[in-house]
Amino acid sequence: MSLPTPSYAALEHSQQFLSHIKEKWAPKQCISFEEWMREALYNPYWGYYTGGLTKLSGDNETTVLQGDFTTAPELSPWYGRTLAIQVEQVLTAAESSHILEFGAGSGKLARAILEQLADPTIHYFILELSADLRQRQQETLKDFLSQITWLDSLPTDFTGCILANEVLDAMPVKLIQWNQAQELEEVFVSWQSDELTYQAKPASPALLDLAQSRLPAYPGYRTEINLQAESWVREMGNYLRKGGVILIDYGFPRNEYYHPQRHQGTLMCHLQHHAHSDPLRYLGLQDITAHVDFTAIADAAIGGNLEVLGFTSQARFLMNCGILSLLNQLDPNDVKDYARQIGPVQKLLSEAEMGELFKVMLLGKNLDIDPIGFISGDRRHTL
Ligand SMILES: C[S@@+](CC[C@H](N)C(=O)[O-])C[C@H]1O[C@@H](n2cnc3c(N)ncnc32)[C@H](O)[C@@H]1O
């Protein structure tokens, strides 16, 4: 597959980043894939998210081709407006007016929610690792600045509604494989021969235990385990006093995630709207993601004393929250505007696009609620 060629300056940046990694990890000449992904995305100076590139594409003709990928909040404001219905129900049940969003992208989800709720007593907290996205958020949210606080670290105490849209998929994963002898190996990235290559090493006993409890030992099967995402969710149980957590991402329950046919795992890279599967190329210039094992997330939540209150597809969640009634606000006689707004909504709902691959999970703590977004089609039994 042919990929776009990044600019000379971008390639230079990538080369310098690679030299920096080689120097930093010189004695070993290799690092675990998990460390490689952490460096690639979050190295404080060079990382894809932390190093100042345009990552997210906008929703108009001039910005849609910039960046590397588009997310639901970027596609349509109706996404955030509909999500706000579930957020409001959580806030009421938690008797709180606090929302905390992780990795808030361009700030469009926050804006759509604040506009929909139209309540000046709401306070919106954002925890964003990327300095340039934080700047974009300040611009997008300039009409709501008095209602927003940017946090630098996790709260010690929180009551309200937590949101994370496409955050779990951006957390570094461990890459593992069963070799032909059905022994578990952890995959490393090596440059001993000067070329970047994968190197497999026997997995630690702890990783072996974990893998054995999650997937059969199919010979030659390579996949991922996202321990960082699991501990991030478990940790929520420590600081969430009362409230809900809405996690939205692409992924599956475990038996689908570790399906025998998915023998190359789910790692994906995005470079200027081209998806490919080679995370060793374009260091620092491309997004690297893995799908989410929602069974692992549910188990981590329960381990952190959170309850799993709902799990369904994005399409079902948006329908349950009443996206179609909200769209009644549009004037069907204004054909041009109607078509402009409905097209992206169809993408959000279509099974062939985001409607089925993306899932929504609601976690709760001390929350007495019959969540509207999961009123029909709740799939917790599949986890
Ligand atoms: C694919 S982007 C999604 C951005 C936005 N939520 C959206 O949907 O448009 C992933 C975001 O998750 C953020 N992220 C990853 N790990 C995080 C963490 N532990 N805390 C806060 N943000 C995190 C990244 O910095 C990045 O901004």
Side-chain angles (χ1 to χ4, degrees):
M1 188 210 342
S2 79
L3 288 168
T5 311
S7 68
Y8 179 77
L11 290 171
E12 185 81 4
H13 168 100
S14 186
Q15 271 310 319
Q16 287 175 6
F17 187 7
L18 184 58
S19 307
H20 164 81
I21 289 202
K22 287 180 173 173
E23 209 173 297
K24 181 169 167 189
W25 303 86
K28 293 189 180 162
Q29 294 196 324
C30 78
I31 53 176
S32 69
F33 179 80
E34 184 186 33
E35 201 56 63
W36 172 264
M37 186 166 165
R38 183 170 295 119
E39 287 279 6
L41 299 182
Y42 302 108
N43 179 289
Y45 182 73
W46 305 93
Y48 175 76
Y49 278 113
T50 34
L53 295 170
T54 302
K55 306 148 237 306
L56 284 156
S57 302
D59 56 1
N60 66 45
E61 280 150 23
T62 46
T63 56
V64 78
L65 289 176
Q66 292 167 5
D68 301 296
F69 56 88
T70 305
T71 60
E74 297 298 315
L75 267 180
S76 165
W78 295 102
Y79 179 74
R81 287 172 192 157
T82 311
L83 191 55
I85 307 291
Q86 180 64 80
V87 171
E88 190 172 35
Q89 192 195 19
V90 169
L91 291 180
T92 306
E95 299 169 289
S96 165
S97 52
H98 287 175
I99 301 171
L100 164 58
E101 185 181 354
F102 284 93
S106 68
K108 285 195 182 144
L109 181 62
R111 190 174 70 195
I113 290 175
L114 286 166
E115 280 170 357
Q116 178 70 22
L117 296 179
D119 175 354
T121 67
I122 299 276
H123 201 86
Y124 206 104
F125 298 86
I126 294 178
L127 204 161
E128 178 57 66
L129 305 176
S130 155
D132 67 303
L133 283 179
R134 202 191 258 227
Q135 249 178 20
R136 273 176 80 179
Q137 290 156 15
Q138 281 164 351
E139 180 55 28
T140 309
L141 293 162
K142 57 180 184 300
D143 297 335
F144 294 97
L145 288 181
S146 61
Q147 283 178 259
I148 301 174
T149 302
W150 277 268
L151 301 178
D152 292 319
S153 56
L154 289 178
T156 49
D157 225 304
F158 186 79
T159 294
C161 186
I162 299 177
L163 295 172
N165 192 77
E166 284 203 43
V167 172
L168 295 168
D169 72 73
M171 293 188 180
V173 291
K174 278 200 181 294
L175 197 53
I176 56 168
Q177 63 187 27
W178 296 106
N179 64 19
Q180 292 302 332
Q182 291 175 292
E183 294 154 343
L184 189 75
E185 297 171 331
E186 181 171 356
V187 178
F188 284 64
V189 177
S190 162
W191 50 91
Q192 274 156 16
S193 58
D194 225 34
E195 288 245 321
L196 286 172
T197 51
Y198 286 124
Q199 190 184 350
K201 299 186 183 196
S204 68
L207 194 55
L208 175 62
D209 272 359
L210 210 61
Q212 276 173 332
S213 68
R214 295 185 182 192
L215 67 148
Y218 307 116
Y221 191 91
R222 183 181 277 193
T223 189
E224 316 86 28
I225 287 190
N226 196 336
L227 296 180
Q228 180 175 327
E230 291 169 39
S231 57
W232 182 77
V233 167
R234 212 174 295 114
E235 176 65 15
M236 281 176 180
N238 286 334
Y239 61 83
L240 183 63
R241 299 279 163 263
K242 183 175 179 159
V245 183
I246 305 175
L247 303 171
I248 307 152
D249 228 306
Y250 36 90
F252 319 100
R254 180 164 298 155
N255 62 352
E256 260 185 85
Y257 193 99
Y258 296 122
H259 192 280
Q261 282 176 353
R262 223 182 293 288
H263 56 92
Q264 288 300 319
T266 70
L267 278 179
M268 287 293 291
C269 305
H270 297 100
L271 177 74
Q272 297 171 23
H273 295 276
H274 285 71
H276 69 99
S277 57
D278 186 356
L280 304 192
R281 295 177 76 177
Y282 308 118
L283 177 63
L285 303 182
Q286 66 179 2
D287 189 24
I288 308 175
T289 78
H291 288 41
V292 176
D293 166 5
F294 275 102
T295 304
I297 297 304
D299 285 344
I302 292 164
N305 290 321
L306 297 164
E307 252 186 291
V308 181
L309 297 172
F311 176 62
T312 193
S313 67
Q314 175 173 296
R316 178 63 75 147
F317 174 82
L318 294 173
M319 296 293 278
N320 285 341
C321 289
I323 192 166
L324 298 183
S325 324
L326 286 174
L327 289 169
N328 281 338
Q329 294 166 31
L330 291 175
D331 175 4
N333 297 318
D334 185 346
V335 178
K336 203 169 164 206
D337 181 61
Y338 195 79
R340 192 176 59 81
Q341 305 227 32
I342 289 294
V345 172
Q346 278 168 345
K347 240 181 173 174
L348 296 176
L349 295 177
S350 157
E351 280 199 7
E353 305 246 12
M354 301 176 80
E356 176 56 32
L357 178 60
F358 281 71
K359 309 291 188 308
V360 186
M361 181 174 267
L362 176 67
L363 309 175
K365 177 92 164 275
N366 299 322
L367 202 65
D368 187 9
I369 192 176
D370 196 3
I372 189 167
F374 307 87
I375 221 95
S376 77
D378 189 346
R379 298 189 194 168
R380 277 177 295 177
H381 61 280
T382 64
L383 291 167

